[in-house]
């Protein structure tokens, strides 16, 4: 059984520990694991056939599975067209990595979402939150207080997402880790210095025990997708209600490893092993 994990080179450096966890978990299962760099991967059509090229050679011995950590759904789409199982699938990767598309899709679950407009603010009042719909990790999310700031920041992106600010004295959000459409653990992240509560920004997090109503709400989102491994993020408003924020396709797990004894990489590989083993036996 052969498994590829595809990363951009800079992301692979930042996620070296997690990649090592994946590799060692594969070793325990007898899975051949290989780290593949997106920069050396070429996808396309040659002689009317879809082909996958790595390091300037057409790949004939394709892996049984691919962990796609590039946030690019076309990567999964190409491998899927060749019969390779991708984790996550191209459908989830496409929706999760475009915030506008994600809000459109998740609205079907009839759960609370901040009022959101695409490329417009006509019905919203300042302060607003502007996001690059293709951004990650809170790095391209801005607090907008007036029209001048809106013009400045919106000019950075061909399309953008505008939302009302989620009101709370302390910025709080909840990351819910999901494997095989099941909740693994929730981590509460807080910030008193920034309107964003991402762990990479605030470094303030704790394990959070979900109540029955919260589990029900989260499962409404999960049920919209086939999720191999992802994070679902919720804001928490001043009424302590969960407000859907986004889905992290290539979710980070630093807070989970620091705050719990859960080896999420091992659980992920266990799930992948079962899927690929079943595919082989079928």
């Amino acid at each position: 059984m052969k498994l590829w994990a595809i990363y951009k080179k800079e992301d692979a450096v930042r996620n070296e520990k997690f990649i090592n966890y994946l590799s060692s978990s594969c070793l325990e299962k007898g899975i051949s694991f290989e780290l593949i760099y997106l920069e050396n991967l070429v996808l396309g059509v040659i002689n009317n056939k879809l082909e996958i090229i790595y390091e300037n050679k057409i790949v004939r011995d394709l892996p049984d599975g691919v962990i796609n950590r590039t946030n690019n759904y076309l990567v999964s789409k190409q491998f899927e067209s060749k019969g390779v199982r991708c984790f996550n699938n191209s459908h989830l990767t496409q929706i999760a990595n475009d915030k506008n598309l994600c809000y459109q899709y998740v609205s079907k679950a009839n759960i609370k979402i901040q009022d959101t407009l695409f490329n417009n603010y006509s019905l919203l009042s300042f302060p607003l939150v502007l996001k690059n719909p293709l951004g990650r990790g809170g790095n391209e999310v801005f607090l907008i207080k007036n029209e001048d700031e809106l013009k400045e920041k919106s000019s950075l992106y061909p399309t953008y997402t505008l939302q009302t600010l989620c009101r709370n004295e302390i910025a709080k959000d909840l990351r819910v880790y999901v494997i095989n459409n099941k909740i693994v653990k929730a981590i509460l992240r807080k910030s008193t210095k920034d309107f964003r509560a991402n762990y990479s920004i605030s470094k303030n997090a704790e394990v959070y025990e979900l109540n029955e109503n919260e589990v029900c709400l989260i499962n409404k989102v999960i049920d919209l997708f086939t999720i191999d491994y992802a994070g679902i993020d919720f804001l928490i408003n001043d009424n302590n209600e969960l407000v859907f924020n986004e889905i992290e396709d290539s979710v980070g797990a630093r807070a989970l490893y620091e705050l719990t004894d859960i080896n999420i990489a091992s659980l992920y590989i266990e799930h992948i092993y079962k899927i690929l083993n079943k595919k082989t036996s079928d």
Side-chain angles (χ1 to χ4, degrees), residues 225-275:
F225 302 95
T226 297
I227 299 176
D228 294 306
Y229 171 46
I232 305 178
D233 291 352
F234 295 84
L235 304 173
I236 300 177
N237 65 20
D238 55 7
N239 293 321
N240 283 322
E241 298 171 311
L242 297 188
V243 180
F244 175 78
N245 190 33
E246 62 184 342
I247 298 173
E248 286 286 352
D249 169 37
S250 53
V251 61
R254 291 174 182 85
L256 191 65
Y257 276 104
E258 290 181 12
L259 297 171
T260 77
D261 59 0
I262 296 171
N263 185 343
I264 199 76
S266 178
L267 296 179
Y268 190 21
I269 294 301
E270 177 68 28
H271 164 66
I272 290 172
Y273 178 78
K274 288 178 180 177
I275 294 290

Side-chain angles (χ1 to χ4, degrees), residues 117 120-125 162:
L117 293 179
N120 199 294
Y121 77 105
S122 57
L123 299 178
L124 306 180
S125 300
L162 271 181

Side-chain angles (χ1 to χ4, degrees), residues 7 32 56 111 117 137 142 174 178 186 219 228 248 261-262 265 280:
Y7 278 82
S32 172
N56 297 318
I111 67 168
L117 293 179
F142 307 97
L174 193 70
V178 177
N219 280 328
D228 294 306
E248 286 286 352
D261 59 0
I262 296 171
T280 302

Side-chain angles (χ1 to χ4, degrees), residues 97-99 131-136 140 159:
N97 290 290
D98 184 329
K99 291 180 177 61
K131 304 177 181 181
N132 173 10
L134 307 181
R136 296 174 57 211
E140 295 179 279
T159 62

